Amino acid sequence: MPRVTATRHINSPPECLWQLMSRADLRPGWDLSVDRFNRTGEEGDLSTVRLHYRAPLIGRLCWNWEGAYVTYDPPERTAVRMISGSSLRPFNKLAGTWILNAKGSGTIVETVVQFEPRLPFVAKRMSGRIKRMLEGSLLQLDKLAIRKEEDR
């Protein structure tokens, strides 16, 4: 499966970033891969938690998918895999990981996406698009962290 990563140093401690990244209401504002996002299930029982995404596809066209946690270890790491998707889904398999490592007064944030496209011949093109989306999302997260810090 193709694997795409993006990394950025953000001048905020891991705990503060984790709080921002985990807020469902803020997610569409910084994560370019998400148009809508919500979480259902019992917070204390990760086996019941489901993550519901609406993701942009092309133009105004979107696709929906449902994810489940593979790993949940705040504030250092979380991984999610797609368990179902709408008929417009571009992937047979999809998994994403956030890795946060403290560095000085900030955090190195790494995002990783692994995928299997429904159309194998588009994997290289999709990898480039996903890379740009991950890098743009980390830039937006950095800007959000700066705004939240200024608000304090």
Side-chain angles (χ1 to χ4, degrees):
M1 281 200 314
R3 182 177 193 269
V4 182
T5 65
T7 305
R8 185 176 186 92
H9 179 269
I10 298 179
N11 200 20
S12 185
E15 297 79 13
C16 294
L17 276 181
W18 189 271
Q19 288 177 356
L20 292 177
M21 294 170 81
S22 298
R23 285 191 45 192
D25 62 321
L26 295 178
R27 183 88 179 261
W30 66 266
D31 186 343
L32 302 180
S33 71
V34 173
D35 176 276
R36 280 192 199 145
F37 173 78
N38 74 348
R39 188 181 298 112
T40 60
E42 298 293 322
E43 284 299 319
D45 182 4
L46 292 181
S47 68
T48 68
V49 173
R50 294 295 177 258
L51 308 162
H52 306 274
Y53 303 83
R54 187 172 88 173
L57 189 58
I58 298 170
R60 295 177 151 216
L61 198 57
C62 294
W63 68 287
N64 297 300
W65 66 282
E66 183 177 324
Y69 287 114
V70 175
T71 303
Y72 187 79
D73 188 19
E76 288 114 19
R77 171 186 288 268
T78 188
V80 172
R81 68 177 174 83
M82 180 177 72
I83 58 174
S84 66
S86 64
S87 60
L88 291 177
R89 73 186 185 285
F91 307 105
N92 286 326
K93 295 179 183 177
L94 176 65
T97 305
W98 296 342
I99 304 165
L100 285 71
N101 289 305
K103 181 165 184 182
S105 62
T107 306
I108 300 292
V109 181
E110 180 180 13
T111 54
V112 180
V113 171
Q114 292 179 282
F115 67 95
E116 178 183 288
R118 288 177 74 179
L119 303 171
F121 59 88
V122 299
K124 188 173 184 176
R125 175 174 235 150
M126 289 177 90
S127 291
R129 183 169 183 215
I130 290 169
K131 177 80 167 176
R132 288 187 299 279
M133 200 173 285
L134 293 177
E135 289 172 343
S137 295
L138 289 177
L139 175 62
Q140 293 305 313
L141 179 61
D142 195 354
K143 290 177 180 179
L144 176 62
I146 291 168
R147 282 195 310 272
K148 292 297 181 181
E149 185 62 32
E150 288 172 351
D151 291 346
R152 288 183 197 168

